[in-house]
Structures are given as structure tokens and as C-alpha cells.
Amino acid sequence: MSTTQTNKIEIIKAATSKINEVDFENLSFGSVFTDHLLECDFKNGEWQKPIIKPYAPFLLDPSARVFHYGQAIFEGMKAYKDDNEGVWLFRPDENYKRFNHSAIRMAMPEVPEEVFMDGLNELLKLEEAWIKKGKGNTLYIRPFMIATGEGVIANPSDDYKFMVILSPAKSYYAGEVKVLIAEHFSRAANGGIGAAKAAGNYAAQFYPTSLANKEGFQQVIWTDDATHTKLEEAGTMNVFFRINDTLLTAPVSERILDGITRKSLIEMAIKEGMEVDVRPVLVSELVEASKNGTLKEIFGAGTAAVVNPIIGFSYHDEYYELPKIENSYASQLKEKLTNIQHKLAEDPFGWTVKV
């Protein structure tokens, strides 16, 4: 194990690598992690010097606030390697801004750019061998922050730990997805933390999703908390609807996450000449469009799967099958976006950033 210093970060290299033990052709998403991680603690009102060190468990006091009051946030990003061995990130500035937006909403300290971005870049340079070439091969990046302050008094923590872990990934394929439109449960409420990427948002989804699974559905399309008449997100993803040749998606709000894949698809669709309408989408108009044959597509959008087509939905115990269409908007947009991410096509938006 060797230690080196930069002006801003300490790097402790692992004595050996486990990369040769990994079957990169048969990866289960988010289950294998690289040799190193980035860590930086917030103590005494300021951020300490970040460190890159071997990936390993760490100890926390049983009274750490994260366990009792749920101060925990995260992001999801990916790194890509082009055919010339260059390593690229996709819109990392948007992830950084959203991470700190989440931190503010959860009464946590904002992470400085030199810790988040400079630390991530150094970590990726160290773990470059884990990023494989070829479309579909990526390195999933999970920045997160937890409250580590001790004591069970119901106040924000004084101490925090920011970390970044990395996981090699193949193309994410969820298979055919059928969804249940929520009639009782909601993902988030006005005034709540739906627009923050807070860990508790996802924990709260597990139970209603498990109920949908028992009925043969893979995910839930969440509706607004007040009336359950507006369509908001699909599972852990933003959601799009194509009625005739218009692409519809709900506007971001206190309840809906400002998805980076979502906003990228909107910009791409407009550039491609597709009609895009960002507005509240009603359950009733989705049902009516399915009945009269104008509903062409539904698909989720997020970092892991990029675009995930939905083949049907259920509402009020009635199932609505979507038509099978060639050259769908979902497939067109996914192809164009992944080509940009993997540097297989021109990036007219300036979204890709070289490490």
C-alpha cells in the first residue's frame, strides 16, 4: 500500500487489485465495486482534506444521526471510455448542482466543488482500468453523504461524511415493464423532499412497489398526493408519454426530481423536431388516449437504464396494453443519447466532459 499527496487530496493506493476476479461480461448492476473510494468528512464546521483510499467498510457510532433521522442523500452518474481510451463524464455539473440542492433541503452542508469534482476526477484516473470500452459498458458513480454526528436528539447533525464509490456496469435491461398507476400511495407531497435525491424517498417507495409486484407489475407510476389525478414519475425514473406524435412529461416541482436524463431527452427531442409538451399529464387523458388509440408510448428515463419502455399500465383494475411500434421515440432517443455519451456521435450540446 502506497501513499501519495496532491495539493488538495491524499491518495492511499491498495496493495493489490481485485479487478482480475471480476467477470465484466456478467455484472449484476451495483453489486461489484472498484478498489478505491473517495471520502471527506465535515467536522467542526468545515470540510477536512479529502482522501482516496482502499474500498472497505467503516465504523459508525450506533447513535449516528443518519440511522435515527435519515439525513442521507446521493447522486447517480456514469463514466464512459471511448475507442481512444479517453474517459468521459456526462453533464457532471448538473449532478453536482443537484447534489447540493439536496443537501440544502436536508439541512446538510454543501460539498465544495474541489471536493466533489476534483476528488471524483482523481478517483476516476486511479480506477481507469475498471472503465471498459464498448457501447453499454460504463462505470456507475455513486456520490453520497450521510450524517455521522452522535446523539439521538432530533436536530441536524454537526458532522457528515461525503463519499464516492464506483461500480462497473453493463447495459441495464429491466425486461418488459408493466406499471400500476397509484391510486392511494404517493412518492412525494408539496412542501416535502420529492425534489431532493434523499435516501428516504426511495425507502418509502419499496412497500407500494412490492404490492404492485405481487399483482404482476414491475413498477408504479406515482400520482400527485392531493388528487391522484396527475401522473408524475415511474418507479425511480421520470416518465414520458407519447400521444399521437407529441411527447408529454410533467414539469419538475417540489414533488418531481429534476432528472438529468429527462432534461437531456427533452432538449434532444426538440432538436430532432419532435413535438414536446411539458405540462401536467392527467390519468384520465392517458386512459382516454389508450382507449381511442392515440397513446403510442410510455417510457421511463433515468441514469441507470437511460430509457426504459413500458408495455402497459393498469388503472382501476383495468389493464391497458400499448401498441408495439417500430422506430419508437424511446428507441430513437436512447440510441442518440447513448451514442453521445459513448462518444460515438457528435455532441452538439457540449454535455460530455473529459476526465
Side-chain angles (χ1 to χ4, degrees), residues 73 75 95-103 111 145 162:
I73 61 172
E75 270 298 322
N95 291 101
Y96 173 66
K97 287 190 292 186
R98 190 172 65 182
F99 189 87
N100 278 336
H101 173 82
S102 299
V111 177
M145 179 164 54
F162 169 72

Side-chain angles (χ1 to χ4, degrees), residues 102-119:
S102 299
I104 291 168
R105 182 60 185 86
M106 298 299 289
M108 304 170 84
E110 294 180 67
V111 177
E113 187 170 0
E114 60 267 24
V115 173
F116 189 107
M117 295 306 305
D118 294 352

Side-chain angles (χ1 to χ4, degrees), residues 144-198:
F144 65 99
M145 179 164 54
I146 59 172
T148 55
E150 300 171 7
V152 295
I153 185 170
N155 285 334
S157 177
D158 292 322
D159 299 336
Y160 297 86
K161 186 180 291 292
F162 169 72
M163 303 184 80
V164 180
I165 55 177
L166 308 174
S167 178
K170 298 287 287 182
S171 293
Y172 186 95
Y173 176 65
E176 293 190 338
V177 175
K178 299 178 181 179
V179 297
L180 184 67
I181 293 179
E183 300 175 39
H184 171 70
F185 294 104
S186 295
R187 176 186 174 275
N190 283 332
I193 60 171
K197 208 160 173 64

